[in-house]
Every structure is written in C-alpha cells, then in structure tokens.
Amino acid sequence: KNIFKQVFQYKLNVYILPTNEYLKRYRVVDSDLCSNCSIETDTVVHRLWECEKLADFLDNLLEKESIWTGRGRRINMKEYLFGIENQVGINHFWMEVKMFVFYNWKVELSTNSNINGLVSKIRRLIILEKNMSKSDISFDMFADKWKYFTDIYDFRGPDNVVL
C-alpha cells in the first residue's frame, strides 16, 4: 500500500486532481485549456484518457495490456480510471500508467520514449516488490499479481538488470 497512490486515486475519484480546470477555478492558472493539446478543457478525464496528444501512447498500452493478459479485449475508460474487480496486478499497472500520464508523460517525446520511461518505472517497481517478498507465501502473492507483465520484467529469473 502506497499512500501517495491511494491519495492520487482518491483525487481522481472525487475529481480534484490539479488539472487546469481545477486550478483555474482557484485562480492558480489563467486558462483551463489542456497544456498538451491547447484545444479542450483540461479535466481529469481529458488529461488521463481523451487528449488527442495522448491517444497514440494509450492506444499502444491498451493493445499491449490486452495481449499480455489474454483477456481478448481492451479495457474501457471506466475500468482504466477506476479499476477492475479482483485484478490487483492489472489495476496496479494502470495506476502506474495514470500517474505516469499525469506527472511524467511528455508531449514533446515520441510514443516509444514515453513508453520506455513507463516500462522502466514499472520494471523497477516489480524488482522492488520481488525483493520485498522473501517468504514463499508472499512470493506466491507477488507472482500472481505480476504474472501478466513478464514482458516488462521476467521476475522468475535472477535480477541482473541495471536500474
């Protein structure tokens, strides 16, 4: 459990993430337009799902995730924003994506560069969680959680990746 991630999801749920729409309401910024596309109002849904500048990045990840999980379909906006019942690993993956989009995604970088940055972040997270799961029981829970994401990092072998 990570308090920062819980607070992020709470702010998303109650629509108080500091988007330009939210910040304009409190006179922190002059415009409520999206800083990436400069076309639409920068709402939570726009920033995390609808922005045309983000489309290629998200489309790429949605396709990869549907292949990795073998679910045969892409998740929809509601599942992306709020999670999928009983899918801890998938939900954690999409939480990392949402936080990456909100805090680290750069419109000036290529889709591949942004994806590489995200994958690197998730790889570090998987290694960290693997190192924290020393007992057989907690490793089994860890392995079940991240089983769909061995293309990002195959945790079943030795950790010989330079972070």
Side-chain angles (χ1 to χ4, degrees), residues 64-79:
K64 287 178 187 293
E65 186 265 356
S66 74
I67 292 167
W68 293 335
T69 60
R71 294 182 322 129
R73 69 170 184 83
R74 293 177 175 202
I75 65 169
N76 59 39
M77 180 182 69
K78 181 180 173 188
E79 292 169 326

Side-chain angles (χ1 to χ4, degrees), residues 104-120:
N104 303 106
W105 182 80
K106 303 286 185 240
V107 70
E108 64 272 5
L109 294 179
S110 69
T111 295
N112 284 340
S113 293
N114 276 307
I115 287 176
N116 288 341
L118 172 67
V119 165
S120 178

